[in-house]
Amino acid sequence: MKKGVSFLVAVALMAFASFLVSAFDPSPLQGICVGINDHKDAVFETQNLVGSNVNLVTIEQFPGVNSHGISIVRVHFAPYGVNPPHIHPRAAEIFTVLEGTLLAVFVTSNPEHHYFSKVLKKGDIFAFPFGLNHFQYNIGHTNAVAIATLSSQFPGVITIANTTFGSNPPIDPDILAKAFQMDKKVVQYLQARFK
């Protein structure tokens, strides 16, 4: 009988303690933090292989967002430029088009892999859910610009192709060939491109 009561007391204490435990981007620990870094002229170069330039502003670039749980991104797109498929492991994203016409896409997780897309024009807004694979593509004939706000002061970014084919040291090509169901020579070609 004593064992049963002790067990029930232990379970009750563990259940109570579990309500006190949580993991999230912490609440502000201070009221205001003014960024004091000198202003640097911004250069938005889109003449690269993907045709876009992503300028992420987090606590590292702008201390003023410290303890506010937010960050911001400005993305410039050349005609037909893409912000490649990526995820933010610690944030959801609100994406607003300032200029141009963009295709915004995200794909849900296993097992559905549902593809959601929308063509966005100037002033349109799109929400990318927390941690899902997403990208944007300039379907217009002119340059495009967008601003994204993220729900973390340090959202992180994992570009799918870069981490898969450009890891250091590289992932064994046999493993990637099997996982992607493609020829090993194609995998090696892609790994050489992302070094």
Side-chain angles (χ1 to χ4, degrees), residues 7 40 51 62 74 90 143 148:
F7 176 74
K40 297 179 182 173
F62 182 54
R74 183 175 174 123
R90 293 178 293 278
N143 291 335

Side-chain angles (χ1 to χ4, degrees), residues 8-128:
L8 287 175
V9 169
V11 169
L13 285 173
M14 288 174 35
F16 177 72
S18 70
F19 287 111
L20 303 175
V21 176
S22 64
F24 62 96
D25 207 5
S27 298
L29 299 176
Q30 60 190 44
I32 297 174
C33 177
V34 178
I36 57 172
N37 291 348
D38 292 334
H39 176 268
K40 297 179 182 173
D41 292 334
V43 177
F44 304 111
E45 178 62 52
T46 59
Q47 301 301 316
N48 54 43
L49 293 174
V50 295
S52 69
N53 185 296
V54 177
N55 299 281
L56 176 64
V57 179
T58 67
I59 189 172
E60 292 177 322
Q61 295 81 19
F62 182 54
V65 300
N66 185 28
S67 77
H68 294 294
I70 58 170
S71 55
I72 191 164
V73 178
R74 183 175 174 123
V75 188
H76 288 250
F77 297 86
Y80 310 106
V82 64
N83 184 9
H86 62 281
I87 65 169
H88 302 289
R90 293 178 293 278
E93 177 178 335
I94 301 295
F95 188 82
T96 306
V97 177
L98 302 179
E99 296 175 22
T101 304
L102 297 168
L103 175 67
V105 175
F106 72 86
V107 180
T108 63
S109 58
N110 296 346
E112 293 86 15
H113 305 118
H114 191 83
Y115 178 97
F116 288 91
S117 68
K118 182 169 173 100
V119 174
L120 305 175
K121 296 181 179 175
K122 183 177 181 176
D124 287 344
I125 298 172
F126 193 81
F128 295 105

